[in-house]
Amino acid sequence: MGFFAVFFFTLVLAMAWKAYQRMLTPGSVPLRWLTRCLACAAAAYPLGVNGREVIDAAFTVGTAKVVQDVLVLGMTYTLLVFCLYSAADDGTAGRRVRRETVGFVGAAAVVVTAAFTAPDNSVLHSSFEDADMAAPHALAFYGTLGLYMLHTLTAAGVRTYRYARMSSGAAAAGLWTLTAGLAGMVLATGVRTGFLLVRAGGATVPHWMTTVSADLLVLSTPVFVLGVLWPGMCAGWAAWRLRVHHWRVYRRLEPLWRLLSSAYPDTVLPTLGRRGAFRYARRVIECRDGLIRIGPHLGTTSAVEAMAPGELALRLRQAIDDVHRGTVDPSRTEPLRITKYTGDEAEGVQHLVAVSQALQALPAGPR
C-alpha cells in the first residue's frame, strides 16, 4: 500500500505541475493533452486500489469499476492525441484527432452500455478473472476495453519509439522509458485480449497466466508515468540547481556590491521583483557598473584579468575610501579595462565572486 500511495501522490503532483505549466503557456496544445492524460491516470488509479467504496455506495455496486475503465480509456486516448499533436502541425493532427475522438466516444459508449444493461448486473458484479466471457455483454465490455487500449497504446508506442530514436539526453531517456512502459502495457493488453477470446470460445485459461498478465499491466503503468515525467523532472532538477547557484553567487557578491554601492548608490537598480534570476542578474550588473565607475581611480591602467583578485580588492577599497573622503581626481575618466571576460559570462561572474571574496578576506581598515 505504501508504494501505491507514493505513486498516487506522484501522479497528483505531476498533474498539478503540468496544469501550472499549461497556465503559463495556454497555447501549447500538446501540453494541454498531456495534462489531461495525467488527470485521467490520477483519477483512475485510486479506484483500482481502495477508492471504489465511495462511488459504489453513492450509486450501484460496480459503478466505480466502469468509471475507472472509462478513465483508463481516456488516459490512452489523450496520450495518443498528445503524440499526434507533438508530431504534426495542428491542422494535420486535427483531422486524425477528430477520428480518434469518434473512436473513443464509441468505445466508451459500448463499455457503459454493456455494463449497465447486462442481465442481473453480471458485468458490474464480475471482474476480468471471473466474468463469463461467453455472455454477449461481458464479451462486449471487456473486448471493447482490450481492443481500444491495444489500438491507442500501440499507436502511441510506435510514435514514441520513433521520437526516442531521434532524441538525446533527458528527452531520450524519458522517451525510452515511456516506450518500455507502453510496450509492457501493449503486451499485457494483447495477452489479456487473447485470453478473452479463448474463454469466449469455451476454453479455460490457467489462473496464474491471468494473474501474471494483470501484474505486468500494473507494473507497466508506473514505468509509463515515469517516462512521461522524466524530461520534466530533469528540467526541474536542472532549474533548481541553477537557482541554487544563482542564490550562492548572489550572496557571495554581497561584499563587493556593498562596497561599490556605498560610493555609487545611483548604480543600484530599482527593485522590480523578488525572483532569484532577476536578483542575481541585477547584482551582477550593479557590481559591473560600480567597477566601471570606480575604474579611473584605481591607480592602474592594467586590465582586470592582469590583476589578482586580492590586488584588485585592495585597490578597490583604497579607491572607495578616496571617494568617501572626496579626494579623488574628477578629471580622471579612463574606464577600467575588461577584455578577457566580455565573451564568457560565467568566467566574468566567477572573477567578480573571487574579487568579492578577496574583499571579505581583507583585514578591516580605517574609513
Side-chain angles (χ1 to χ4, degrees):
M1 187 61 66
F3 168 77
F4 294 115
V6 171
F7 180 61
F8 175 68
F9 183 68
T10 303
L11 269 178
V12 173
L13 285 181
M15 182 193 66
W17 174 246
K18 291 301 177 184
Y20 172 72
Q21 288 181 316
R22 182 184 168 189
M23 290 175 57
L24 298 180
T25 55
S28 176
V29 178
L31 182 58
R32 181 191 314 161
W33 285 98
L34 181 59
T35 305
R36 292 171 179 173
C37 177
L38 291 173
C40 288
Y45 198 76
L47 297 179
V49 183
N50 58 0
R52 294 190 174 189
E53 293 80 2
V54 177
I55 294 180
D56 286 347
F59 301 95
T60 305
V61 174
T63 303
K65 163 189 169 179
V66 178
V67 172
Q68 181 193 22
D69 290 334
V70 172
L71 286 171
V72 170
L73 293 181
M75 179 190 73
T76 61
Y77 160 71
T78 51
L79 174 66
L80 178 56
V81 174
F82 162 72
C83 293
L84 292 173
Y85 276 119
S86 298
D89 59 85
D90 292 354
T92 304
R95 291 187 291 271
R96 173 68 185 276
V97 168
R98 284 190 288 271
R99 295 197 298 269
E100 294 296 338
T101 302
V102 172
F104 165 68
V105 173
V110 171
V111 166
V112 173
T113 302
F116 287 101
T117 60
D120 301 322
N121 292 327
S122 57
V123 174
L124 293 176
H125 296 166
S126 64
S127 63
F128 182 85
E129 287 74 15
D130 58 18
D132 180 11
M133 296 305 179
H137 289 79
L139 182 61
F141 181 85
Y142 292 104
T144 302
L145 280 173
L147 291 175
Y148 183 80
M149 288 179 62
L150 201 58
H151 158 67
T152 51
L153 292 173
T154 301
V158 169
R159 284 166 174 77
T160 304
Y161 172 74
R162 291 174 182 170
Y163 306 152
R165 293 185 62 186
M166 297 184 293
S167 302
S168 60
L175 288 170
W176 282 116
T177 305
L178 177 58
T179 302
L182 289 174
M185 296 171 75
V186 168
L187 178 60
T189 303
V191 169
R192 289 168 71 84
T193 303
F195 290 167
L196 182 151
L197 297 176
V198 170
R199 291 166 59 186
T204 59
V205 176
H207 179 71
W208 69 267
M209 296 181 68
T210 303
T211 303
V212 169
S213 65
D215 291 342
L216 177 60
L217 187 60
V218 170
L219 293 175
S220 299
T221 304
V223 178
F224 152 74
V225 173
L226 178 62
V228 172
L229 301 180
W230 186 256
M233 290 168 59
C234 291
W237 171 249
W240 181 81
R241 290 180 61 188
L242 183 61
R243 284 195 293 269
V244 171
H245 171 70
H246 283 172
W247 180 81
R248 287 175 177 171
V249 171
Y250 175 85
R251 299 295 298 174
R252 295 177 71 185
L253 284 176
E254 186 166 356
L256 177 61
W257 175 81
R258 285 188 178 278
L259 183 70
L260 294 171
S261 61
S262 67
Y264 303 107
D266 55 315
T267 61
V268 178
L269 300 174
T271 302
L272 300 178
R274 298 179 60 85
R275 297 185 61 179
F278 174 80
R279 292 191 301 168
Y280 162 83
R282 188 184 69 180
R283 177 147 294 185
V284 170
I285 292 172
E286 290 169 350
C287 287
R288 285 176 174 167
D289 288 349
L291 281 175
I292 292 174
R293 292 282 295 275
I294 197 64
H297 312 299
L298 292 179
T300 179
T301 58
S302 300
V304 165
E305 63 271 16
M307 289 183 282
E311 179 188 356
L312 181 55
L314 186 58
R315 288 180 178 273
L316 278 173
R317 195 167 74 174
Q318 292 172 345
I320 293 295
D321 288 342
D322 291 341
V323 171
H324 285 300
R325 289 193 295 265
T327 58
V328 296
D329 183 359
S331 65
R332 301 194 61 178
T333 58
E334 302 89 349
L336 184 65
R337 290 173 54 197
I338 305 177
T339 59
K340 182 178 179 181
Y341 306 112
T342 54
D344 192 332
E345 177 72 18
E347 193 174 358
V349 172
Q350 287 304 312
H351 185 263
L352 290 178
V353 170
V355 174
S356 183
Q357 297 300 291
L359 271 172
Q360 190 173 30
L362 288 177
R367 296 298 301 269

